[in-house]
Amino acid sequence: MRKQFFWTSPSWRRLLLVCCLGLLAACGGSHHDHHPGTTPTPTPLALALQPVASGLSSPIFLTAPPGDSRLFIVERPGRIRIVANGALLAAPFLDISGLTTNDGERGLLSMAFHPQYASNGYFFLYYTNLAGDIVIERRQVSAGNANLADPLSVLTILTIAHPTFSNHYGGQLSFGPDGYLYAGTGDGGSAGDPPGNAQNTHVLLGKLLRLDVNASSVAQPYAIPAGNPFAGVAGQRGEIWAYGLRNPWRYAFDVPAQLLYIADVGQARVEEVDVSPAGQSGNTYGWNIMEGNVCYNSSSCSQAGLVLPAITYGHDSAGGCSITGGYVYRGTALPELAGQYLYSDYCSGWLKSFSYSNGTASAVTDWGIMNVGNILSFGQDAQNELYMLSMLSGTGTVYRIVRK
């Protein structure tokens, strides 16, 4: 008769069954760290600012070429600096300080990379020249050094006369989702728009312009896209996409939602953010008929045909003095923030946001950011993460918006 193995005996099988049941009970008893049928309460999102670069001279704008890991920081005195692999490079990408001044609101105010920058190396500048006029210019990266612009590759796209006053230049360039170059211009300065530029479609001040620069040449620096509202209209400027703006210092396209956000700086009472479909041309945003949501310099006014603000705030302790527009968050590091438009105020320095859908803005969220100085601008990198640019005690700093 064959010998029976120990682990096949009845007594061993009973012992094995008891051990298994004990293990199952132990596992079951410690599996849940909350009551069955409930879900853990998520931690509310809190934001903080992480310094990225400091010791800058009036950092006025930040951007990056599509798909690039570097940050390009525009300094108002006329330099463009690069942050690569977390370090601020000593040599500027470009220095045009000899072509501009920074008195009043003048200077090098923004830049935009061509959507095909990786293959053509083109980027565009928005600055004020020594006469105080607005210049939009195309430049190109150096053939032998990706961190250096070619100083000789200059093509003037457009010069806009800006006589008499040294304020209200607008200042942002951006390529829209349609591939055209947009430029936001101020109304020409002083207070109240004395010449009435913003509502005058014969001039380019107080406007959002749309230009086709995809085949620019010395003979024809730009073309006027067929969809522009005054294209081919006698006596009107075909470059105009929208008008009735006072000083659209910063605006932003939210490509997923196909919306355009314009933060228009107010006169003395109201700051505003306007939101409209990105493809909607010919909008008039109200200045100088209205300032924000109130009639300007009058007890009553006609609002017929005007695009009214999505949100406003006043010149008071809860508001500020001059809106600094930002971007709609579309990055990946803070998924809870997706779809929120972030903005600030030059004087107050807070960080706030709202979402927008079906023609309505949500309640405004205050993120509890303070004591970082005057907020000059926002920035967006190639990964759609967002930055705040500030000046405090004469020193410029770039901060990344991060999870607290």
Side-chain angles (χ1 to χ4, degrees):
M1 188 168 125
R2 203 162 64 181
K3 184 176 178 182
Q4 185 179 39
F5 289 98
F6 174 73
W7 54 81
T8 61
S9 67
S11 59
W12 177 251
R13 286 198 298 269
R14 286 194 296 272
L15 179 60
L16 185 61
L17 178 62
V18 169
C19 289
C20 289
L21 289 172
L23 285 169
L24 285 171
C27 291
S30 63
H31 179 70
H32 297 287
D33 56 4
H34 55 86
H35 294 293
T38 66
T39 56
T41 302
T43 302
L45 176 65
L47 298 179
L49 299 181
Q50 179 184 78
V52 171
S54 59
L56 298 161
S57 179
S58 296
I60 209 77
F61 195 64
L62 181 152
T63 187
D68 201 304
S69 63
R70 296 171 297 171
L71 305 176
F72 288 72
I73 301 167
V74 176
E75 294 181 314
R76 191 160 72 96
R79 291 176 296 275
I80 299 173
R81 309 289 301 278
I82 293 178
V83 173
N85 300 316
L88 180 66
L89 303 187
F93 176 69
L94 180 67
D95 186 346
I96 64 160
S97 54
L99 302 179
T100 187
T101 64
N102 61 351
D103 57 309
E105 296 175 3
R106 295 168 174 161
L108 176 56
L109 302 180
S110 76
M111 68 181 301
F113 290 97
H114 193 279
Q116 280 77 53
Y117 178 78
S119 59
N120 63 29
Y122 292 144
F123 64 96
F124 296 78
L125 304 180
Y126 188 119
Y127 69 93
T128 60
N129 63 18
L130 297 178
D133 296 330
I134 296 168
V135 177
I136 298 173
E137 199 171 76
R138 191 188 76 184
R139 299 262 182 155
Q140 195 169 23
V141 69
S142 168
N145 187 343
N147 291 329
L148 188 64
D150 179 353
L152 302 178
S153 62
V154 182
L155 176 64
T156 300
I157 301 296
L158 180 64
T159 301
I160 303 171
H162 191 291
T164 312
F165 304 108
S166 63
N167 62 336
H168 299 184
Y169 283 95
Q172 185 171 338
L173 288 179
S174 177
F175 279 89
D178 53 13
Y180 295 124
L181 182 67
Y182 289 74
T185 66
D187 67 7
S190 186
D193 189 11
N197 288 326
Q199 291 294 325
N200 182 357
T201 55
H202 298 81
V203 300
L204 297 181
L205 296 174
K207 310 296 189 297
L208 185 65
L209 311 179
R210 187 173 78 145
L211 311 174
D212 183 349
V213 294
N214 291 307
S216 298
S217 65
V218 174
Q220 187 179 9
Y222 65 90
I224 294 174
N228 283 15
F230 303 110
V233 179
Q236 309 295 309
R237 293 302 299 257
E239 299 93 336
I240 295 169
W241 178 254
Y243 60 107
L245 295 165
R246 182 178 177 273
N247 195 28
W249 172 237
R250 295 295 179 244
Y251 63 88
F253 289 100
D254 180 26
V255 176
Q258 287 292 296
L259 292 173
L260 169 64
Y261 291 71
I262 302 175
D264 198 12
V265 178
Q267 177 68 53
R269 296 177 62 189
V270 183
E271 304 298 309
E272 68 183 87
V273 179
D274 306 303
V275 186
S276 59
Q280 189 174 82
S281 68
N283 287 337
T284 174
Y285 292 100
W287 178 251
N288 62 354
I289 300 166
M290 300 185 71
E291 179 186 359
N293 56 354
V294 299
C295 294
Y296 176 69
N297 211 24
S298 175
S299 59
S300 63
C301 58
S302 172
Q303 300 180 10
L306 304 182
V307 176
L308 299 181
I311 66 103
T312 61
Y313 65 88
H315 288 202
D316 52 41
S317 58
C321 74
S322 178
I323 192 167
T324 303
Y327 296 87
V328 174
Y329 183 78
R330 295 297 180 185
T332 58
L334 305 166
E336 306 98 312
L337 201 59
Q340 291 279 318
Y341 174 77
L342 282 76
Y343 63 105
S344 185
D345 184 88
Y346 174 80
C347 294
S348 300
W350 38 249
L351 176 62
K352 296 181 180 182
S353 72
F354 65 89
S355 61
Y356 187 89
S357 63
N358 300 319
T360 304
S362 70
V364 171
T365 298
D366 188 331
W367 292 99
I369 301 293
M370 57 188 67
N371 301 323
V372 292
N374 298 117
I375 304 303
L376 305 181
S377 189
F378 282 75
Q380 184 180 50
D381 65 22
Q383 292 72 45
N384 295 319
E385 300 302 329
L386 301 186
Y387 300 76
M388 293 179 77
L389 285 61
S390 80
M391 282 289 290
L392 180 62
S393 301
T395 299
T397 304
V398 171
Y399 298 93
R400 182 182 289 113
I401 300 173
V402 299
R403 188 183 303 274
K404 190 172 182 179

